[in-house]
Structure formats: structure tokens, C-alpha cells
Amino acid sequence: MSAGLSSQVSRDYQLTLTNFLERARRFFPRQEIVSRGAQGISRYNYRQFYRRVCRLDNALSALGIGQGDRVGSFAWNTHRHLELYFGLPCMGAVMHTVNIRLSPEQIAYVINHAQDKLLFIDEDLVPAIEQVAAKLPGVQRYVIMCEGELPPTSLAPVCSYEELLAEAPENYDFPQLDEGLPAGLAYTSGTTGDPKGVIYTHRMLFLHSFALALAGGFGISEADTTMALVPMFHANAWGIPYTSTMVGAKQVLPGPHPQPEEIAGLIQTERVSFAAGVPTVWIGLLQFLEQQNYDLSSLQQIVCGGSAVPLSLIKAYRDKLGLQIHQAWGMTEMSPAGSVGTLKRSMSDWPAEQQLAQQAKQGLLLPGLEMRVLDESGCEVPWDGETSGELLVRGPWVAREYYRDPEASAQRFAGGWLRTGDVVTVDRESYLQIVDRTKDLVKSGGEWISSVALENALMAHPQVLEAAVIAVPDERWSERPLAYVVLKPDQQLSAEELLGSITAQFPKFWLPDEVTFIDELPKTGVGKFNKRALRQLAQQRPRR
Ligand code: AMP
């Protein structure tokens, strides 16, 4: 074969998620998918999963959903959500995972911005959508993912997911799709303004899944039982549902609000070997296991990320439970995986404490990605483990722009690179370590809180002159918001009164734990709140 012909052939093959779906059905028909729901555990296998995806796609076609249409989900990690994860992209539509932790205004904004035609909602989350439904003119139908009868609801027109599937045929001819077509859409919090959309093409998700399956990635194989504790409504549950299906692993989907007791129970009974979640989840589980005895001997790997993983947490899992935590770093804009903190072979004879310190770094960039670290003047910093700069990345599963948002795109994407907003050092082994963030946001329990939105709400109070919100470290949630407030002259106001005035506008977890009244806010040379100075001030406050 001539070189010209062979490159033609490889370019013609489209990297789409349909390949993963067909492979799982054919090669692993009896492998299980276990899903925890309101009414307990349900289980089926990849063959049954495939049939339900076919029914779903027939039902979606009958509802007029076609190529390129966006469809929203508002759901936990369940088998139905997994069916949408494949059903939508494999018919050519776009799976928009709406983050259930957003404020009501943001929920309405992202559904409208994405122009979602249908919305699939978990039963217990229906009230949150009812609250904003009047602001969703483009949604043509709501589908409630419930076990039995459709619950009473003001949403209309509405039907149940199971009703929809029951009436649809079981055979579906998946279309030949171009790998460049959008498969998924997720929104991430911008520092200012509205959330920013990120489109994932089939090709991005396909290649991202390959990288995750590598031993230096998450190392997921058919022999694994995976459990994504990171939600499917945030950054594709780190791609674990796609990768697990690609390799034919058994999947455990932990359902609504999984608490330490349920997590430990699922690991024990389903023999979970791979689990991934934010530090808050692992901190909670550790505390629970200090009181309770569970058999976690099946667990071979824990991936923890989304926020910096404390060294003490890695050490506690190692020493108390004999379990290995690997740190992962990534971003919604990166599908989302960027780096993993596994140790190199040459580090195997390092002293245990040095290994631990290395594992507390964000790790090595995944194969396929490239990075640069730039100082404020745009020059590359040396990889000496000391000099810091902003991390820029590019690669096959890194977005090139925000969806329909040229202004935000121009700020964060330039020359094919994504400016991550993470300030890092890179050591002589090429391991990344995040040392700061240029993004003025608070990440609490794995979800973002907008400092600017809180500041604006606080400053709207008639007695408030100025307010600044910063992130302060928190043992359980990684970070919590702290508000510094300056009152107008001669005003009296308590923290409770002030917070009471903004409660209705935000999800409960957004509200600052502390409000500190001060006489004046420190400012930078250009008159902005000097958040660095405020962070220093916060360090000096007495511990609560
Ligand atoms: P998201 O798009 O919500 O996944 O958030 C991505 C951001 O979360 C990154 O740019 C970092 O600021 C932060 N982040 C993610 N993983 C880590 C980690 N392992 N350590 C520190 N920060 C992290």
C-alpha cells in the first residue's frame, strides 16, 4: 500500500462513541451495570443497556430530535443518565449535562444558551426545574426519570422516561457520524458573567477515553469495577462512564446524594476496584470508616482531584486503610483530564515520605497533551520546581473556544492554547504542582462558587458600601467563601441580617461561612480589591 493510500484510509475512519457502544454490546454483553436509585439497587448488563439505548434513540427520533440538537440532563449518576450519555451522541444529538449545583438563574441561563429542546430530569430534582420552567421557552418537553408513576408536577408537556422507552422499538440503525460532530456540552463557571459552554466532539471524547485507560492515566480495564463518585453533571464524571464502557468494565453508578455509608456499602458488595471523587468525598469516607468496619479490599485505585488533594489525606489512606490515592488534575475545558500523580519507576526506591510529597503534586501531563508555563511577561519559566507561572495546555481533547462566546474565548484561548488560570511550578521530573489560581472563584466540595456574584449581591444591600469574597482553605470542603464587608458610615448590620438578605438568590452552599466587617478594603494600584492582601489577612484571623 502506498503511503498516500494508507493515510487516506486511517483518516476516513471516524472516531465516534458508537464504536464504544457497539463494542460493549458485542464483546461484553454480560458485564454488569449497577445503579443505585431511590428504590434501591437495579442491575442489568451491557446487552440490555444497548437495547435501551436503541429504544431511547427511536423515542428521541419520534420526538423530532435530530443531528446537532441539544438535549439537557439534570440528573445524578444512574443507568438512565448513562443511557443518555451514549444515546444522544450516537444518534448525532448533543448531550448537555446541566450542573444541578448552579443557581436558579444560571440553570435557566445554560439551558437557554444551549437551546436545549428536551430536558431529562431525575425525579427528586424536579422541583429545581419547576422553579425556573417559566424562563425556559425553548424546552419542548420534560422527561422525568422515575421508577414508577409520573409524580405530580407543574412541568408541561411531560412524560416518564420508562413510558417513552416502553413504546419505542428495540432496533435502531446508528448513523455514520463525523468525528468532528459535537457529542457533549458542559458549562463551567467564569470568573465574571455567565457560565461558559464547552463542546466535546466525538473525537475529543474518544481520544480522552484512550488516554484515561492507559496505565499512566486511570488504568481502567475490563477487569475493573468502576464507580464514579464525581457527578455525571460535572465535567462528564471525568470521562469515567465513557472509558468504562469503552473497555467493558463493570460500572457502579452511585445515584442520588451518595453518603459515606452508601459508598462504603457499594464498594463492599459490588467489589469496586476503581473509584474517583473530589477530596471532600474521600475525607467524609475516611471519617466514616474510623467508626465503622467495611471490607474495602477490592479497591485497587482511588483517584482524587478537582481540588488540591491534601498530603495528609493520601497518607491517611495509605497508613490506615492501605489504599493508594492518585491525584488527578483537569478542567471542564479539557474533557476534563489533564494530569495524574502516579509515580515514575525511578521513584520506587525513594523514601516513603518523598514519594508521598511527590504524590501530593498534580502529576504528569497525560500523553497527547502539551503544556507551557509562562510568567507575567509571557516567557516560559524554568522547570525547576520553584519558579511559578500560568499553565497553558493544548491537545486533542482540549477545547479551542467557548460555545457561542467569542469574548470569553478570546480571554482564555490564544494560538491554539488554553490558558488554564492555574499557577503552577514544574519540578525536574516534569511533575506539575498547582501553587495558586488566577481565577477569582471558590471551589467548595468540587463545585464552583462565584466570588463576583456574591460580592454584587452583598453590595446591593443598602447598608453595604463594599464587599469582597475570597476563598479560604477548609478541611472538609477544600475551600469556603469568606466575605469582607465595609458598611456605609454610621450603619449597623449583623452578619445574619446581611446573609439573610441574599439567601434566596443562591444555593445554600454558596453562602459565606464567615462575614468580617472591616473599615476599609485593601485595593490594588488600579483600584481593584486586593485579594492577595485579603487572603493574608484571612490567614491571621483566629481559627474558629
Ligand atoms: P472544573 O472545570 O470545574 O473541573 O475545574 C477545573 C479547575 O479545578 C482547575 O483549573 C483547577 O483550578 C481546579 N483543580 C482541578 N483539579 C485540581 C487538583 N488536583 N488540584 C488543584 N486544583 C484542581
Side-chain angles (χ1 to χ4, degrees):
M1 204 187 289
S2 78
L5 184 57
S6 70
S7 65
Q8 181 67 37
V9 171
S10 62
R11 247 187 288 135
D12 279 351
Y13 189 83
Q14 300 299 305
L15 310 182
T16 69
L17 296 173
T18 320
N19 177 300
F20 297 177
L21 183 65
E22 294 284 4
R23 181 172 195 271
R25 171 184 71 105
R26 287 193 160 236
F27 295 4
F28 312 106
R30 287 175 300 282
Q31 187 76 284
E32 273 187 320
I33 296 169
V34 178
S35 185
R36 178 181 154 262
Q39 259 113 54
I41 301 285
S42 64
R43 61 182 74 233
Y44 62 19
N45 58 35
Y46 277 114
R47 186 189 1 230
Q48 291 159 312
F49 166 70
Y50 180 91
R51 287 203 196 123
R52 281 173 58 92
V53 170
C54 290
R55 283 180 186 275
L56 173 65
D57 283 357
N58 281 316
L60 288 166
S61 305
L63 289 174
I65 297 300
Q67 200 157 311
D69 285 339
R70 271 81 63 204
V71 173
S73 67
F74 199 73
W76 301 101
N77 296 15
T78 68
H79 63 295
R80 296 190 182 94
H81 208 175
L82 187 69
E83 288 160 14
L84 289 166
Y85 256 55
F86 279 89
L88 286 161
C90 293
M91 72 173 302
V94 185
M95 159 97 256
H96 171 204
T97 48
V98 180
N99 189 327
I100 68 167
R101 305 282 185 216
L102 297 180
S103 66
E105 288 70 32
Q106 289 178 324
I107 291 171
Y109 173 83
V110 300
I111 293 170
N112 288 328
H113 188 266
Q115 299 169 313
D116 291 334
K117 287 194 167 172
L118 306 177
L119 205 52
F120 286 76
I121 314 158
D122 268 351
E123 186 171 1
D124 66 315
L125 301 174
V126 168
I129 297 297
E130 284 174 337
Q131 210 188 327
V132 297
K135 296 184 196 148
L136 305 176
V139 176
Q140 294 167 5
R141 179 182 289 267
Y142 298 92
V143 184
I144 300 185
M145 300 195 279
C146 49
E147 291 297 334
E149 296 276 288
L150 200 59
T153 174
S154 58
L155 297 176
V158 68
C159 63
S160 99
Y161 185 88
E162 293 304 326
E163 220 172 70
L164 209 60
L165 261 61
E167 288 159 12
E170 206 172 75
N171 294 316
Y172 181 82
D173 267 341
F174 288 98
Q176 292 288 323
L177 298 171
D178 187 290
E179 64 182 25
L181 282 175
L185 170 61
Y187 283 77
T188 182
S189 300
T191 316
T192 53
D194 296 313
K196 321 288 175 216
V198 178
I199 287 278
Y200 307 110
T201 63
H202 279 266
R203 179 186 163 84
M204 286 164 80
L205 297 177
F206 190 103
L207 293 171
H208 179 265
S209 303
F210 269 72
L212 274 202
L214 293 174
F218 290 179
I220 299 173
S221 80
E222 183 270 342
D224 274 307
T225 296
T226 66
M227 179 159 70
L229 294 163
V230 54
M232 288 168 81
F233 58 73
H234 188 149
N236 301 330
W238 298 350
I240 295 162
Y242 289 126
T243 309
S244 302
T245 307
M246 175 183 88
V247 299
K250 173 177 167 182
Q251 297 188 54
V252 179
L253 300 154
H257 293 293
Q259 297 302 306
E261 187 172 359
E262 283 100 38
I263 295 170
L266 285 169
I267 296 173
Q268 176 173 278
T269 49
E270 300 302 330
R271 308 294 297 153
V272 170
S273 62
F274 170 95
V278 296
T280 302
V281 165
W282 299 113
I283 291 165
L285 184 68
L286 185 68
Q287 280 171 353
F288 174 76
L289 291 172
E290 276 163 5
Q291 317 292 330
Q292 307 283 333
N293 247 334
Y294 276 79
D295 173 10
L296 304 193
S297 59
S298 58
L299 210 48
Q300 283 161 19
Q301 198 193 168
I302 292 174
V303 170
C304 184
S307 292
V309 183
L311 188 145
S312 57
L313 188 67
I314 304 176
K315 186 168 159 49
Y317 269 80
R318 186 194 70 181
D319 297 347
K320 294 187 185 161
L321 302 171
L323 290 171
Q324 178 75 57
I325 288 190
H326 286 144
Q327 170 147 211
W329 164 85
M331 294 175 73
T332 301
E333 291 87 335
M334 301 178 71
S335 302
S339 67
V340 184
T342 43
L343 294 180
K344 289 182 184 174
R345 179 165 50 170
S346 57
M347 297 168 183
S348 61
D349 53 6
W350 281 14
E353 295 315 296
Q354 196 184 349
Q355 286 182 339
L356 205 58
Q358 197 65 13
Q359 284 169 324
K361 297 184 177 181
Q362 278 69 22
L364 279 177
L365 210 63
L366 288 168
L369 299 177
E370 285 179 62
M371 67 182 199
R372 298 167 76 189
V373 183
L374 303 184
D375 66 14
E376 276 166 14
S377 58
C379 296
E380 289 214 35
V381 306
W383 292 12
D384 57 6
E386 280 170 23
T387 320
S388 64
E390 188 184 2
L391 177 66
L392 278 72
V393 292
R394 68 175 179 188
W397 53 89
V398 181
R400 302 289 293 264
E401 61 181 4
Y402 289 121
Y403 180 55
R404 298 204 292 122
D405 197 338
E407 207 178 303
S409 299
Q411 280 171 18
R412 299 223 73 91
F413 299 90
W417 293 86
L418 163 67
R419 291 181 53 192
T420 64
D422 287 325
V423 178
V424 303
T425 57
V426 184
D427 67 18
R428 294 186 198 287
E429 296 284 353
S430 305
Y431 280 57
L432 285 172
Q433 182 162 28
I434 298 185
V435 294
D436 201 357
R437 212 163 54 209
T438 63
K439 294 178 273 200
D440 186 10
L441 290 160
V442 184
K443 203 167 199 192
S444 177
E447 298 296 336
W448 292 112
I449 296 170
S450 165
S451 314
V452 176
L454 284 175
E455 286 163 4
N456 289 340
L458 293 169
M459 286 192 281
H461 192 286
Q463 286 166 274
V464 171
L465 181 67
E466 284 178 332
V469 174
I470 58 163
V472 288
D474 184 89
E475 272 182 21
R476 178 161 178 213
W477 303 107
S478 297
E479 293 174 9
R480 289 296 300 152
L482 163 61
Y484 282 102
V485 175
V486 182
L487 293 179
K488 288 181 183 163
D490 306 322
Q491 299 294 319
Q492 293 281 325
L493 187 67
S494 72
E496 291 70 33
E497 284 168 320
L498 177 57
L499 291 179
S501 74
I502 66 165
T503 309
Q505 298 169 51
F506 300 108
K508 215 166 136 217
F509 82 98
W510 278 43
L511 295 182
D513 290 346
E514 293 175 59
V515 176
T516 303
F517 293 99
I518 52 175
D519 294 338
E520 201 183 338
L521 286 176
K523 308 267 170 53
T524 65
V526 291
K528 289 187 186 177
F529 299 144
N530 186 342
K531 299 233 168 157
R532 193 173 289 176
L534 285 173
R535 288 206 295 257
Q536 278 163 4
L537 198 63
Q539 273 175 10
Q540 290 154 19
R541 77 196 194 289
R543 280 260 158 232
R544 290 197 313 165

